[in-house]
Amino acid sequence: MAKMEIWIPITIVAAFCQNLRSALQKHLKGKLSTGGATYVRFFYAWPFALIYVWGLNEYAGMPYPDFNGTFLLYCVLGGLSQIIFTALLVYLFSFRNFAVGTTFSKTETVQVALLGFLLLGDTLSLGAILAIVISVAGVMAMSVAQTHISVKSLFTGLAEKSTLIGLASGLFLGGSVVFF
C-alpha cells in the first residue's frame, strides 16, 4: 500500500475548514453588519497567525522575516486586500442572488495571473494559461451545478451589482495573493 503524502489530508481539512468558516460568516452576517462579521474573522485569526509563524521558526527552522520598508509595504497591501476581499464576500451574503457573485469571486486565479503579470512581471506558459482557464471553468461549472443558476444567467447578469461585487472580491483576493 502506498503511503499518502501529508499535503493531501491537510488540503482536505483546510478546504473543509474554509467552507465551515464561510458558512459561519454567512450566519454572522445575519446578526452583524458587514464590517462586524469581517472584523470577527480577522480579530480571532491573528493569534493563530502568530502561533503559525512561531511554529515555522521553532520547529521547521525557518527564520523570521526581515522587516524592511518593502516587506512592510507588501504586508500592508496584502492585508488590506484580504480585508477588503472578505468584506466584499460577506457583503454578498446580503443579496438574494449572492450565489452569482460568489461564483464570480472564484475568478481569482485568472486575476492572480493578470496581477502577477502587471505588478511583478510574471509570465505563464501556454500550459499554465490553459490550466487556469480549465480550473476557472470547472469551479464555475461546479458552482452553477450546486445552485439554480444557469450558465446563461451567469453571463446575462454581468452588469448586476452582485456580479460586480463578486468580481471585485476576486480581484482583491488575487491582489492579496500577489502582494503576499
Side-chain angles (χ1 to χ4, degrees):
M1 177 187 259
K3 183 178 174 188
M4 184 186 313
E5 303 243 359
I6 189 69
W7 67 267
I8 295 170
I10 290 172
T11 302
I12 292 169
V13 169
F16 173 78
C17 289
Q18 190 173 25
N19 286 330
L20 180 63
R21 180 197 66 211
S22 291
L24 291 172
Q25 275 191 294
K26 184 171 189 270
H27 177 72
L28 271 179
K29 175 62 177 136
K31 300 180 184 308
L32 300 173
S33 67
T34 296
T38 302
Y39 174 79
V40 166
R41 174 178 173 171
F42 289 98
F43 181 77
Y44 288 107
W46 72 266
F48 294 103
L50 291 178
I51 292 167
Y52 177 72
V53 170
W54 173 81
L56 288 175
N57 178 266
E58 190 69 26
Y59 298 107
M62 299 177 85
Y64 290 113
D66 291 328
F67 289 94
N68 58 46
T70 303
F71 173 80
L72 291 175
L73 176 66
Y74 280 114
C75 285
V76 167
L77 291 173
L80 285 174
S81 294
Q82 184 71 34
I83 291 168
I84 293 169
F85 152 72
T86 302
L88 288 170
L89 193 63
V90 169
Y91 181 53
L92 277 172
F93 296 147
S94 59
F95 290 90
R96 227 183 43 222
N97 58 349
F98 77 91
V100 173
T102 303
T103 299
F104 275 104
S105 76
K106 306 287 186 199
T107 62
E108 82 271 359
T109 53
V110 172
Q111 297 190 55
V112 164
L114 290 172
L115 288 170
F117 173 74
L118 294 172
L119 299 175
L120 305 175
D122 290 346
T123 57
L124 296 173
S125 68
L126 183 59
I129 292 169
L130 186 60
I132 289 170
V133 169
I134 289 170
S135 71
V136 169
V139 167
M140 292 183 86
M142 287 190 318
S143 297
V144 169
Q146 295 173 355
T147 64
H148 62 281
I149 302 169
S150 68
V151 174
K152 181 182 175 187
S153 69
L154 274 178
F155 292 104
T156 58
L158 282 174
E160 288 183 14
K161 190 173 184 178
S162 61
T163 300
L164 297 174
I165 293 169
L167 287 169
S169 175
L171 176 68
F172 281 102
L173 179 58
S176 72
V177 168
V178 170
F179 291 130
F180 286 140

